[in-house]
């Protein structure tokens, strides 16, 4: 996901055509290796039945090693620390996305203000922070994650569709990095599943999110 964050801010990097593929390779390789080590640890410390029955596998896996107190306090702390990277990436990207949209006229101009000293999109970061706090008010993180995932995959799918359209509409366009065409096709199929499936699991929330996205279209034309 961090490589995905990087994709949205390539314009601020020098030699982005070299940086991005390298970042993707390093990030994906590191994450795959870390997850493999974690799963090997789980399978070494827990039986098959314990793995099936547990709802907090990391806590149960380290309990024999760290004890009950260690499992209850150390693991949640490590999980919290692991979220810092995602939080940093999301904050770094979200503010600059809003800033870029405002600079191009899609959002109000005050969101394109840059801090004189820190050179950061200060107003867009403040607005993003306020929106994040507002989303946390219901305190139902599970529902919030489901809604976010549903909405995100709609736009991920549209990005993949746009990639294929440009590949055929602009075949001679310069592409510093180019993916095989079957990859976006595969991701479109995955996006369709992840967008359609929630309508069967929780149709009301899915309809609310869809209505909210559609309701943003007039706002886009307004600005």
């Amino acid at each position: 996901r961090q490589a995905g964050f990087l994709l949205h801010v390539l314009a601020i990097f020098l030699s982005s055509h070299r940086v991005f593929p390298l970042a993707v390779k390093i990030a994906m390789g590191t994450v795959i290796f870390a997850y493999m080590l974690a799963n090997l640890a789980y399978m070494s410390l827990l039986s098959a039945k314990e793995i099936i029955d547990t709802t907090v596998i990391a806590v149960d896996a380290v309990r024999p090693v760290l004890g009950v107190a260690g499992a209850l306090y150390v693991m949640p702390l490590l999980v919290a620390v692991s979220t810092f990277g995602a939080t940093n990436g999301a904050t770094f990207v979200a503010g600059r996305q809003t800033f870029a949209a405002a600079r191009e006229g899609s959002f109000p101009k005050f969101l394109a203000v840059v801090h004189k000293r820190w050179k950061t999109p200060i107003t867009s970061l403040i607005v993003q922070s306020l929106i994040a706090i507002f989303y946390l008010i219901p305190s139902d993180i599970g529902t919030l994650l489901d809604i976010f995932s549903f909405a995100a995959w709609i736009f991920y799918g549209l990005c993949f569709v746009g990639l294929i359209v440009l590949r055929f509409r602009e075949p001679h366009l310069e592409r510093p990095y180019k993916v095989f065409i079957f990859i976006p096709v595969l991701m479109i199929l995955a996006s369709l599943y992840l967008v359609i499936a929630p309508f069967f699991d929780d149709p009301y929330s899915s309809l609310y999110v869809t209505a909210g996205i559609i309701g943003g279209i007039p706002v886009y034309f307004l600005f």
Side-chain angles (χ1 to χ4, degrees):
R1 184 165 177 79
Q2 302 304 312
F5 289 151
L6 181 62
L7 179 63
H8 296 285
V9 291
L10 283 179
I12 68 174
F13 292 97
L14 298 175
S15 303
S16 60
H17 64 282
R18 183 181 63 86
V19 171
F20 180 67
L22 182 62
V24 170
K25 292 174 183 177
I26 293 175
M28 293 298 293
T30 303
V31 169
I32 291 172
F33 182 69
Y35 270 78
M36 288 178 62
L37 289 180
N39 281 281
L40 286 173
Y42 298 152
M43 290 185 287
S44 300
L45 295 170
L46 299 174
S47 66
K49 185 177 186 306
E50 288 174 324
I51 292 175
I52 295 173
D53 293 339
T54 184
T55 56
V56 282
I57 189 169
V59 173
D60 290 339
V62 301
R63 185 177 286 116
V65 179
L66 301 179
V68 176
L72 292 179
Y73 295 104
V74 175
M75 286 310 299
L77 178 61
L78 292 177
V79 171
V81 170
S82 72
T83 65
F84 291 162
T87 303
N88 176 71
T91 304
F92 181 77
V93 170
R96 283 157 180 79
Q97 286 178 326
T98 305
F99 163 78
R103 185 176 58 182
E104 295 177 0
S106 298
F107 280 170
K109 289 296 183 182
F110 77 90
L111 293 173
V113 174
V114 177
H115 196 280
K116 292 183 179 180
R117 178 181 176 186
W118 298 323
K119 307 301 181 183
T120 54
I122 185 66
T123 53
S124 61
L125 285 171
I126 292 173
V127 170
Q128 290 283 345
S129 299
L130 293 175
I131 292 174
I133 294 171
F134 173 77
Y135 282 151
L136 289 173
I137 291 175
S139 70
D140 188 352
I141 299 299
T143 301
L144 182 61
L145 290 174
D146 291 340
I147 291 174
F148 168 78
S149 178
F150 172 78
W153 277 102
I154 291 176
F155 292 100
Y156 292 158
L158 291 174
C159 286
F160 300 133
V161 171
L163 188 151
I164 294 177
V165 170
L166 287 176
R167 182 68 60 85
F168 290 99
R169 183 177 294 177
E170 302 285 348
H172 303 296
L173 191 67
E174 182 183 357
R175 293 176 171 85
Y177 34 85
K178 186 176 180 180
V179 299
F180 295 110
I181 195 68
F182 77 89
I183 295 178
V185 171
L186 179 64
M187 295 308 300
I188 288 172
L189 296 176
S191 301
L192 286 173
Y193 170 76
L194 292 170
V195 170
I196 294 173
F199 280 98
F200 295 94
D201 183 56
D202 189 0
Y204 292 107
S205 295
S206 302
L207 287 173
Y208 292 150
V209 175
T210 304
I213 294 173
I214 295 174
I217 295 176
V219 177
Y220 171 80
F221 287 107
L222 178 63
F223 293 106

